[in-house]
Amino acid sequence: MEREARFKNWRKEGVAYLFLSPYILLFVIFIVLPVVLAILLSFTNFNAVQFPGWVGVKNYVDLITRDDVFMQYVLPNTFKFALIAGPVGYILSFLLAWMLAQIQKGPRTILALLLYSPSLTAGTAMSVVWTTLFNGDQSGYLNSLLMRFDLIQQPIQWLQSPQYLMPIMIIVTIWGSMGIGFLAMLAGVLNINSELYEAGYIDGISNRFQEIIYITIPSMKPQMLFGAVMAVVSTFQAGAIGVQLSGTNPTPAYAGQLIVNHIEDYGFIRYEMGYASAISVILLIFIWFSSKFVWKIFGEKE
Amino acid sequence: MAHLRGKVKFNWLVVIFVLLATVTPGAAEKGNSVSQIEGQNSTTLSEWANQGYDIIPGVEQKLTPNLFHTTGGTLLSGLEERKGYDHVVLRLNAGDSFEVDYSAPAKGLYTFYFDYYLLDSGLSPNQYRVEINGSLPNAQIGRVDLLASWQNETYPFPRDRYGNEVIPTQKKMDQWQTGMLTDPVRLETQPLAIPLEAGKNHIKVTLMSGSILSGDMTISSVEMPVPYNEYRKSAPDTATPAFLWVHEAEETYYKNDNTINPVVNRALEARPYDTNRLLLNTLGGTTWKQSGQAVYYEVEVPHDGNYQIGIKYSQDLKPNSVVFRTFTIDGKVPFREMGSYPFSYQSGWKTEILSGPEGAYQFHLTKGKHLIGIIADASPYRGTIETLKRAMGQINDLTLQIRKLVGPEVDALRDFTITDNLPNLQSDLLKLANDLQKEYEKAVQLNSGQANSQGIITLETAIRSLKNLAAEPNKIPQRLSQLNEGTGSVTQSISLAMQEFQNQPLLIDQIYLFTPGEKLPDYGTTILQQWTEGFKRFFHSFFPVQKMEGEDSKTIQVWVNRPRNYIDLMQRKADEEFTPKTGIKVNFTMMPNEQRLILANASGTAPDIALGISNWLPYELGVRGAALDLNQFPDFKERTADFSPGAFLPFIVNDQVYAMPETQDFYVLFYRKDILNSLKLPIPDTWQDVKELLPEMQRYGMSFYIPLAGSGGMKPLMSTSPFIYQSGGDLYADHAFKAGLDSEKSLSGIRLMTELFTLYGLPMQVPNFFEHFRDGTIPMGVSNFATYVQLQIAAPELDGEWGIALSPGIRQNGETVRWQTGSAQAAMIFKSTKHPEASWEFLKWWESRETQSSFGIQMQSLYGKEYMWNTANLKAFQDLPWPEEDKKVILEQWKWLREVPKTPGSYYIERELSNIWTHVVLDGKNLRATVEDSVNVMNKEIARKMEEFGYLKNGKVVRPYRVPTLEEVESWVRR
């Protein structure tokens, strides 16, 4: 009897699963499987050549207790980088999106494209531009400019000196952060019903700032959330930038070493894939918690 | 305002002068050493006439070798020895000379030619020098080329296994040739003239390089080609039976430069055409652009008569420019118009029938074989090029004078009135601009009135900036970089324009010789055809590439981390030489990224052999059990005799050896002879010498380069370890279970490598040593093979002005210790191979002296000096066509080759050593403290890694690890 009911149920819902199956299949193959594999590998000593052997939680213990570089440089760097580049890029995205929404369509489209293009251009092309600017030779633009105005005597090693690398990484990242989140926010601002503003003014809103706080932001919460999640994920995942700017992994004196660089370091330079997987699991956990946090702030509370 | 500082100032000027003078690019891109005569202009016939030397017609006097007085040469008379020459010949080696007396009928201009036979490979230039009555009447005859003739070894061209054509091996024709007095930069279409007095004249010919047999020398009149209308009148106007000769341009009879190559052109109009395969169906293009490069075709003419010549060509490499070709028939320019015939800019294919204002030219040919020569030709620009060169000299002088007045550091805020000291400055600059303007107009005229070619536009820019600068002469001190040295400066524009004028690329597809009225082949295409072909190719791209022969399981798979043209030749050599001998088939595959090897190994699809891989990879694979131990083969050790022992160090794990070195780098001292001479600086032998030289060099704004400044954030071991080894230190201690950087000796090495920057002010970041070396700001430095090749091919103006010497070292026990690394590429066998013996057999063949040297010679003869092959096989290296004196230095430096042995934790030592440098040099931290901190970190990582590989357990050594030493490798085999 129960069996029959189950069968009936299945017949009823089976079609739904059928329609879902393409997505589920792709999601499992490209998302679930790699994640599960990474988690599994993180408990092994896989070295990319030989068959992996089980080592239990050793990798995690090592990461917390033995990995000086991780604790001393990588974690602080990653948080510094994420906490500055993420929010600043995010706020900037919103402000620029809002400002663009105030002007006519023609120039808006052009400006939006211009702002969006840095995030489109491949990282390499981008760092070619920036490495020329910050070149440590006297032929680097910045050095050449400073020397011409007699502000410095010797060229500064912008990209090799530990104290300059991180700020430059942050600047370059912010420059390129008007990405998909920015476009979503632009769409969000444009989609707000203008009657809301009129109603707001009748109800006593007196300036643009109040407009933003009371109408614009509440009306585009989904886009704000999307932008924030994208910003968090992309800043945690950023890693290429420091390596591209300085030209090496590890970055000079680990000054620009982020988690992703650390993963690459272990995975492809030291051939310790198991350990690298453990770090990427930690990274996954970081991202997951930060997204939770962002949801808390911007998510719809029903 | 002009503050002179006596003697010091004087030295300074000399330097600047030298500096500026050497920025001038040379006229010839070819490797001829022409710089000595570069500044001087050729003497024209009219100038000779003013001095009373006229052309004396009707002279033809043969002088046989038994009349020669020779120094060093030997007369040979055996039939075998004289290579088929009909009487006695003279053998000359570099440095040998012969002298001969000739009594001229009258004072005047003559020329001479002589028969020669090249005895060496012909790859390096053979040059001689002529002196007339004890002097050089014409600077150009100080260096005359003896060219080789090159033939394709096979035609039709060989094909690779995919059916694509590959460039055939070039072979030197073993034959007697006639050498004219050509000018070294090949900017003259006619042989050079020599002035002789009436009566006895003394002619001395000295061979400067190479070795040759010399036959008869013939003194003759200077013959100028007649204008076409005279030529036409002299030829009988006979009725010629219809004839049409269509010849593929890529099928040359011979060429005077082995680097003129057939090229693939996939246009539908090109012949022969194949939809999917790559055919080498056209000739020239970028490989045929230097003035003087000639190709020759042989044609059998059926009847006496008058013929026309047509060339199917395309010239899209130099937009909006006219390029020139000189045509010869049987070695002579038939009439004046055939010297420097213009070909206009043509992006598609077009047939040019050689013609003048009155219609197509008629060439009178007799029945029988004739040789048609087509020579790349920049001679119409000769005058322009000479004026430009002179202008650069003048600007250099001016800059020098201004520098003399204002000093090396120009204060941007100061007002100068240099017109007080240089009253003519403005007029000089304007006159210069005026001269250039005239050349500009000439160039426009030569370019059939079009002013939009690259060269002409750059020249125009130069003129404009000159005029701008002249407008405010007192601003020039601050704007000196616009005049000279800077990017976009006047001198740079001029030298760019000069190079543009010298390049004469032309792509040709077919040659026609035909009687008037014949219809030439039609190659027009319709849009429909183009679409169909495009669609066919697109469709074809979905199918796997068809191989010509089936592959069976006995084939060894070789993955090569090199460009396609290397692999084509490797495959061909293996198919021709290795497979027939051993029966082992080899299949080469290009591997664009060596990281693939690791992934392939993990997925079980690794090849049998990998070539051209980085020298650290075999260790990483070997220590994880993926590489085959070569030491298991009984004849391995004897096979290492031809190699540098130090190159094996990174491949050894305990007793196993996981790879063989394949190519080898060298770190030697590059120096600018001209600058060192004028500053009277010695070539440094030790780092101490370098330190002593530096203040002197820095006073002239110059510096020294070491590879540490060339790498980015990470200073690799190849740039750091030499300092430690030279000072007697070691990277490892305690059998590689500890880092050895904190020993006193290692510390002194690290101190040296940081102090050079902190105390002696070496530039910390030099992204491009080559450019700084060229412009003279860094006239000395330690660098490698890449710089060497660049200097060979891309710095024609420095020809003969630079040299290499052994790397500086550290004096120890009366000897200068010069350890340097030599990391290049390696060859390894995978453990997963099913044919270990066959793979080893292949590796032995590939690494052998014969294969390596012939491969190196073939690469260089096919593609030129860009493809110099730095084989790790020392014996093979001796056979390569490199300059002898350089080979000697490199081989000597290779005796001091010491790679860093790898250990499980060595990458961490590399990294921390780099961090030490960063902390000390950039952060200004204390050396000893930094090293101590780093050593602690290193030891920790080493212990972790040793544990991973099972040498260490709970802090105790459970399995010994042995760091390989040089002595150990040396003991493998008696050298």
Side-chain angles (χ1 to χ4, degrees):
Chain A
M1 196 65 200
E2 200 186 299
R3 220 182 190 184
E4 204 169 281
R6 211 187 274 165
F7 181 68
K8 242 184 185 170
N9 224 7
W10 172 242
R11 276 189 58 172
K12 225 167 74 186
E13 292 170 3
V15 184
Y17 284 112
L18 185 74
F19 283 116
L20 264 178
S21 62
Y23 174 76
I24 291 179
L25 199 71
L26 293 177
F27 186 74
V28 168
I29 291 177
F30 292 110
I31 309 282
V32 179
L33 210 62
V35 171
V36 171
L37 273 180
I39 294 173
L40 279 180
L41 279 179
S42 73
F43 295 106
T44 68
N45 61 2
F46 186 42
N47 65 9
V49 176
Q50 285 156 322
F51 194 80
W54 191 262
V55 293
V57 291
K58 180 173 177 295
N59 286 333
Y60 293 94
V61 174
D62 278 356
L63 181 64
I64 294 164
T65 59
R66 278 177 74 160
D67 195 340
D68 293 343
V69 174
F70 185 69
M71 288 297 171
Q72 209 177 328
Y73 301 101
V74 176
L75 264 194
N77 280 347
T78 310
F79 278 105
K80 200 200 287 178
F81 182 79
L83 287 180
I84 300 176
V88 171
Y90 178 62
I91 293 168
L92 217 57
S93 298
F94 173 73
L95 286 180
L96 286 170
W98 181 79
M99 283 194 263
L100 279 187
Q102 313 301 313
I103 59 176
Q104 297 101 316
K105 189 159 187 272
R108 182 170 67 220
T109 318
I110 295 168
L111 284 175
L113 197 67
L114 285 180
L115 286 171
Y116 182 53
S117 60
S119 69
L120 269 183
T121 48
T124 318
M126 178 175 84
S127 60
V128 166
V129 174
W130 289 96
T131 41
T132 329
L133 183 67
F134 289 111
N135 200 339
D137 205 342
Q138 55 263 42
S139 65
Y141 286 118
L142 191 57
N143 274 329
S144 144
L145 207 69
L146 290 177
M147 283 168 88
R148 185 175 304 168
F149 291 113
D150 281 335
L151 293 172
I152 53 171
Q153 297 303 320
Q154 285 290 316
I156 296 176
Q157 304 298 312
W158 297 108
L159 301 175
Q160 311 302 332
S161 297
Q163 70 262 42
Y164 296 117
L165 183 60
M166 180 53 95
I168 292 174
M169 281 166 61
I170 292 174
I171 292 171
V172 175
T173 308
I174 291 175
W175 169 79
S177 61
M178 307 302 134
I180 196 93
F182 161 76
L183 287 189
M185 284 196 268
L186 181 58
V189 180
L190 290 174
N191 260 342
I192 297 169
N193 192 342
S194 57
E195 286 170 12
L196 279 180
Y197 293 110
E198 286 162 29
Y201 276 99
I202 292 169
D203 284 348
I205 282 181
S206 54
N207 58 31
R208 277 298 178 88
F209 183 71
Q210 286 179 328
E211 211 178 73
I212 293 177
I213 297 291
Y214 294 113
I215 300 175
T216 311
I217 293 182
S219 316
M220 50 177 289
K221 264 202 162 175
Q223 287 87 2
M224 295 294 279
L225 172 68
F226 177 73
V229 173
M230 291 308 284
V232 167
V233 173
S234 66
T235 44
F236 271 113
Q237 281 187 343
I241 187 76
V243 172
Q244 277 166 2
L245 285 174
S246 66
T248 52
N249 187 14
T251 48
Y254 301 110
Q257 203 76 353
L258 305 180
I259 287 195
V260 175
N261 305 130
H262 203 55
I263 295 174
E264 280 173 10
D265 183 2
Y266 274 94
F268 298 106
I269 299 176
R270 310 184 199 204
Y271 299 109
E272 294 178 39
M273 291 286 181
Y275 192 80
S277 304
I279 312 172
S280 48
V281 170
I282 298 286
L283 176 64
L284 186 73
I285 293 169
F286 278 154
I287 294 181
W288 189 69
F289 272 112
S290 328
S291 311
K292 274 269 160 232
F293 176 71
V294 169
W295 272 97
K296 274 247 158 62
I297 300 177
F298 294 103
E300 301 284 341
K301 289 162 194 103
E302 274 139 324
Chain B
M1 122 198 31
H3 47 91
L4 296 174
R5 272 177 290 172
K7 201 176 155 203
V8 174
K9 196 77 192 178
F10 175 73
N11 281 345
W12 194 89
L13 293 178
V14 174
V15 176
I16 293 289
F17 176 74
V18 169
L19 251 174
L20 300 180
T22 46
V23 184
T24 324
E29 258 186 57
K30 211 170 169 315
N32 306 338
S33 300
V34 295
S35 40
Q36 293 181 345
I37 45 178
E38 223 177 336
Q40 307 184 38
N41 304 324
S42 53
T43 318
T44 59
L45 290 178
S46 59
E47 281 162 8
W48 282 124
N50 288 341
Q51 296 175 35
Y53 293 97
D54 289 310
I55 293 178
I56 307 295
V59 178
E60 182 98 17
Q61 170 76 48
K62 207 172 250 189
L63 304 167
T64 50
N66 47 14
L67 299 172
F68 300 168
H69 295 281
T70 173
T71 330
T74 35
L75 279 175
L76 302 174
S77 51
L79 182 63
E80 191 64 11
E81 288 173 312
R82 46 179 222 250
K83 306 274 180 198
Y85 204 65
D86 54 12
H87 52 261
V88 67
V89 298
L90 183 65
R91 189 200 154 101
L92 296 173
N93 291 329
D96 299 347
S97 62
F98 65 82
E99 289 158 63
V100 67
D101 288 332
Y102 168 68
S103 29
K107 174 181 174 182
L109 289 180
Y110 300 80
T111 186
F112 74 78
Y113 50 86
F114 72 95
D115 298 334
Y116 67 95
Y117 184 101
L118 294 182
L119 291 172
D120 48 16
S121 70
L123 282 171
S124 34
N126 286 275
Q127 291 171 324
Y128 65 95
R129 167 189 177 85
V130 184
E131 280 162 89
I132 310 291
N133 298 327
S135 68
L136 274 182
N138 182 343
Q140 290 167 304
I141 60 175
R143 225 170 238 269
V144 185
D145 283 325
L146 290 170
L147 298 170
S149 301
W150 297 92
Q151 273 185 322
N152 293 326
E153 198 171 69
T154 41
Y155 186 87
F157 297 134
R159 295 193 176 222
D160 65 11
R161 53 185 56 207
Y162 307 107
N164 299 327
E165 286 182 341
V166 289
I167 300 176
T169 308
Q170 300 297 303
K171 70 166 202 264
K172 193 193 68 168
M173 280 169 89
D174 286 329
Q175 62 167 20
W176 281 90
Q177 288 172 275
T178 306
M180 305 281 187
L181 270 181
T182 47
D183 73 308
V185 289
R186 313 304 301 283
L187 283 178
E188 314 245 3
T189 46
Q190 288 301 310
L192 299 170
I194 49 170
L196 296 181
E197 306 301 327
K200 207 175 109 177
N201 286 281
H202 186 73
I203 302 173
K204 182 179 179 189
V205 174
T206 312
L207 188 68
M208 300 173 73
S209 49
S211 56
I212 61 165
L213 296 182
S214 165
D216 294 344
M217 174 193 248
T218 310
I219 313 275
S220 76
S221 307
V222 178
E223 275 180 51
M224 300 305 286
V226 295
Y228 176 63
N229 44 21
E230 277 178 41
Y231 171 83
R232 189 76 194 88
K233 268 181 229 146
S234 67
D237 211 355
T238 51
T240 316
F243 176 66
L244 171 63
W245 177 71
V246 178
H247 190 79
E248 291 297 334
E250 61 274 17
E251 189 191 349
T252 47
Y253 179 53
Y254 69 87
K255 44 201 180 190
N256 72 0
D257 187 325
N258 53 331
T259 60
I260 308 171
N261 275 332
V263 283
V264 176
N265 188 289
R266 302 208 72 187
L268 205 48
E269 292 88 355
R271 295 287 177 275
Y273 175 83
D274 189 292
T275 311
N276 298 318
R277 287 183 208 151
L278 301 177
L279 301 183
L280 293 165
N281 48 0
T282 56
L283 182 93
T286 47
T287 66
W288 188 27
K289 63 179 182 189
Q290 291 156 23
S291 197
Q293 286 183 316
V295 294
Y296 296 92
Y297 299 94
E298 201 177 44
V299 57
E300 175 92 49
V301 176
H303 306 279
D304 290 7
N306 292 322
Y307 297 88
Q308 296 178 359
I309 291 179
I311 304 284
K312 180 177 165 194
Y313 81 100
S314 151
Q315 198 285 96
D316 53 356
L317 293 162
K318 256 185 95 170
N320 307 318
S321 296
V322 172
V323 303
F324 297 92
R325 285 293 179 273
T326 287
F327 290 81
T328 61
I329 305 245
D330 299 324
K332 283 213 171 81
V333 179
F335 49 88
R336 196 175 291 164
E337 284 80 355
M338 279 301 100
S340 313
Y341 187 88
F343 286 87
S344 57
Y345 172 55
Q346 176 68 35
S347 58
W349 286 99
K350 183 192 169 191
T351 300
E352 172 85 17
I353 294 169
L354 302 184
S355 46
E358 311 98 57
Y361 292 129
Q362 310 276 324
F363 294 83
H364 184 77
L365 298 175
T366 53
K367 183 174 188 285
K369 278 190 179 156
H370 291 280
L371 201 61
I372 302 177
I374 310 178
I375 308 168
D377 182 11
S379 62
Y381 291 108
R382 197 187 79 200
T384 308
I385 290 168
E386 276 168 8
T387 310
L388 293 185
K389 227 182 276 177
R390 210 165 36 233
M392 296 220 335
Q394 284 174 12
I395 293 176
N396 288 339
D397 288 348
L398 272 179
T399 319
L400 183 65
Q401 290 176 16
I402 297 169
R403 279 273 163 83
K404 194 158 85 180
L405 289 170
V406 301
E409 306 274 330
V410 177
D411 190 335
L413 302 172
R414 187 162 159 187
D415 288 326
F416 293 96
T417 41
I418 50 169
T419 38
D420 291 350
N421 301 59
L422 294 171
N424 293 333
L425 184 58
Q426 189 167 30
S427 59
D428 281 354
L429 287 177
L430 285 175
K431 186 177 167 301
L432 213 57
N434 208 20
D435 289 351
L436 294 183
Q437 184 67 34
K438 276 187 208 137
E439 294 305 330
Y440 170 81
E441 277 149 23
K442 261 202 276 181
V444 172
Q445 207 185 351
L446 269 178
N447 206 28
S448 50
Q450 284 188 308
N452 51 356
S453 81
Q454 177 78 42
I456 293 175
I457 292 171
T458 345
L459 185 56
E460 197 187 352
T461 321
I463 297 170
R464 219 175 23 233
S465 358
L466 260 183
K467 285 181 178 162
N468 277 340
L469 285 166
E472 288 177 286
N474 281 324
K475 287 263 164 68
I476 290 180
Q478 281 98 345
R479 295 162 71 184
L480 213 50
S481 66
Q482 287 178 37
L483 187 63
N484 209 331
E485 287 178 348
T487 20
S489 66
V490 176
T491 40
Q492 205 191 35
S493 299
I494 294 180
S495 77
L496 248 178
M498 232 157 69
Q499 271 167 21
E500 271 298 317
F501 292 141
Q502 280 162 5
N503 280 351
Q504 302 289 323
L506 185 72
L507 189 66
I508 60 176
D509 184 24
Q510 283 181 329
I511 302 172
Y512 313 112
L513 185 79
F514 55 101
T515 44
E518 272 310 291
K519 199 175 166 325
L520 296 183
D522 179 36
Y523 47 84
T525 54
T526 61
I527 292 198
L528 190 67
Q529 275 173 321
Q530 282 167 6
W531 282 2
T532 334
E533 283 302 304
F535 183 74
K536 269 170 31 195
R537 275 182 196 171
F538 176 66
F539 192 69
H540 182 80
S541 69
F542 288 103
F543 294 94
V545 190
Q546 290 291 313
K547 289 189 180 164
M548 299 237 285
E549 55 193 275
E551 264 170 47
D552 49 39
S553 54
K554 283 275 173 61
T555 311
I556 356 179
Q557 300 293 331
V558 183
W559 286 11
V560 189
N561 187 16
R562 293 212 174 86
R564 165 70 53 205
N565 38 7
Y566 286 88
I567 293 168
D568 285 344
L569 183 61
M570 286 161 116
Q571 180 76 60
R572 206 161 83 220
K573 280 185 86 67
D575 289 349
E576 285 167 8
E577 297 164 24
F578 179 67
T579 309
K581 214 162 57 187
T582 57
I584 302 166
K585 282 189 191 147
V586 191
N587 184 26
F588 289 85
T589 311
M590 188 158 78
M591 164 176 63
N593 179 0
E594 58 189 12
Q595 288 285 349
R596 262 183 65 188
L597 282 176
I598 293 180
L599 299 177
N601 190 64
S603 61
T605 53
D608 298 300
I609 294 177
L611 298 181
I613 54 176
S614 304
N615 79 336
W616 51 267
L617 198 58
Y619 181 91
E620 297 292 348
L621 288 165
V623 79
R624 291 174 177 82
L628 192 75
D629 171 22
L630 302 181
N631 204 3
Q632 64 180 268
F633 298 106
D635 51 348
F636 168 73
K637 280 181 177 153
E638 72 187 63
R639 283 288 161 171
T640 63
D642 288 353
F643 296 84
S644 299
F648 283 91
L649 294 176
F651 308 139
I652 302 176
V653 184
N654 289 325
D655 278 327
Q656 285 99 35
V657 186
Y658 290 117
M660 298 266 283
E662 194 187 10
T663 58
Q664 194 152 296
D665 208 342
F666 47 83
Y667 285 87
V668 291
L669 179 79
F670 289 77
Y671 60 93
R672 284 278 297 267
K673 290 179 186 164
D674 48 353
I675 294 180
L676 258 62
N677 280 343
S678 66
L679 286 181
K680 305 240 178 334
L681 294 178
I683 295 168
D685 186 55
T686 62
W687 292 109
Q688 192 55 39
D689 295 349
V690 173
K691 289 179 189 171
E692 281 160 16
L693 281 177
L694 271 169
E696 182 77 3
M697 290 169 75
Q698 278 156 352
R699 213 167 48 229
Y700 306 116
M702 297 174 177
S703 194
F704 190 91
Y705 169 83
I706 56 176
L708 266 172
S711 48
M714 173 83 153
K715 310 292 173 196
L717 275 182
M718 61 187 177
S719 61
T720 48
S721 66
F723 289 99
I724 291 168
Y725 286 140
Q726 287 183 4
S727 46
D730 200 345
L731 295 172
Y732 307 112
D734 193 14
H735 302 287
F737 287 95
K738 289 265 154 53
L741 296 182
D742 50 355
S743 75
E744 279 311 313
K745 282 179 175 170
S746 302
L747 265 176
S748 79
I750 300 175
R751 183 168 297 121
L752 172 64
M753 97 186 183
T754 50
E755 272 181 358
L756 281 172
F757 295 92
T758 52
L759 292 185
Y760 296 92
L762 288 194
M764 292 174 203
Q765 190 77 43
V766 182
N768 195 338
F769 169 56
F770 169 69
E771 285 302 334
H772 289 282
F773 188 74
R774 251 180 112 172
D775 65 25
T777 46
I778 305 186
M780 250 196 283
V782 176
S783 195
N784 60 0
F785 173 63
T787 309
Y788 183 80
V789 175
Q790 253 182 329
L791 281 169
Q792 284 279 351
I793 57 170
E797 78 277 11
L798 288 188
D799 260 335
E801 299 291 352
W802 60 275
I804 58 174
L806 294 179
S807 153
I810 294 174
R811 289 298 281 185
Q812 270 173 24
N813 309 327
E815 181 188 36
T816 310
V817 177
R818 307 178 190 274
W819 296 116
Q820 282 287 353
T821 56
S823 333
Q825 294 166 315
M828 63 171 285
I829 304 179
F830 277 82
K831 199 166 206 166
S832 56
T833 177
K834 290 197 190 73
H835 319 286
E837 294 295 334
S839 300
W840 172 237
E841 208 51 49
F842 169 77
L843 208 59
K844 276 195 293 191
W845 168 78
W846 171 244
E847 296 274 11
S848 67
R849 176 181 190 168
E850 296 73 38
T851 313
Q852 283 294 307
S853 62
S854 72
F855 180 77
I857 292 170
Q858 280 180 26
M859 272 320 278
Q860 198 172 330
S861 69
L862 281 177
Y863 302 107
K865 282 186 181 167
E866 287 98 318
Y867 288 85
M868 285 174 119
W869 178 249
N870 52 334
T871 176
N873 188 314
L874 305 180
K875 298 259 171 59
F877 185 78
Q878 286 167 359
D879 302 338
L880 295 181
W882 291 36
E884 287 300 326
E885 63 274 19
D886 294 350
K887 267 202 282 195
K888 223 184 280 166
V889 173
I890 293 164
L891 283 169
E892 182 63 31
Q893 181 65 51
W894 275 347
K895 289 185 185 155
W896 288 104
L897 186 137
R898 186 166 173 189
E899 268 296 326
V900 182
K902 286 195 68 120
T903 67
S906 57
Y907 68 91
Y908 215 76
I909 295 185
E910 172 167 38
R911 184 180 293 190
E912 278 303 316
L913 199 49
S914 169
N915 283 343
I916 291 173
W917 186 89
T918 308
H919 283 310
V920 174
V921 175
L922 296 178
D923 290 351
K925 289 194 182 149
N926 174 282
L927 176 77
R928 201 173 276 266
T930 313
V931 171
E932 264 161 29
D933 287 351
S934 281
V935 166
N936 282 337
V937 185
M938 282 183 236
N939 287 344
K940 224 161 148 183
E941 176 75 10
I942 291 173
R944 201 177 66 83
K945 272 288 175 185
M946 282 298 196
E947 205 162 318
E948 184 190 332
F949 289 103
Y951 293 102
L952 207 64
K953 204 161 197 178
N954 302 324
K956 289 219 177 63
V957 179
V958 290
R959 198 146 68 94
Y961 189 88
R962 202 154 47 81
V963 184
T965 59
L966 262 182
E967 294 72 37
E968 182 188 335
V969 181
E970 275 163 359
S971 72
W972 284 351
V973 67
R974 277 185 50 164
R975 276 156 220 278

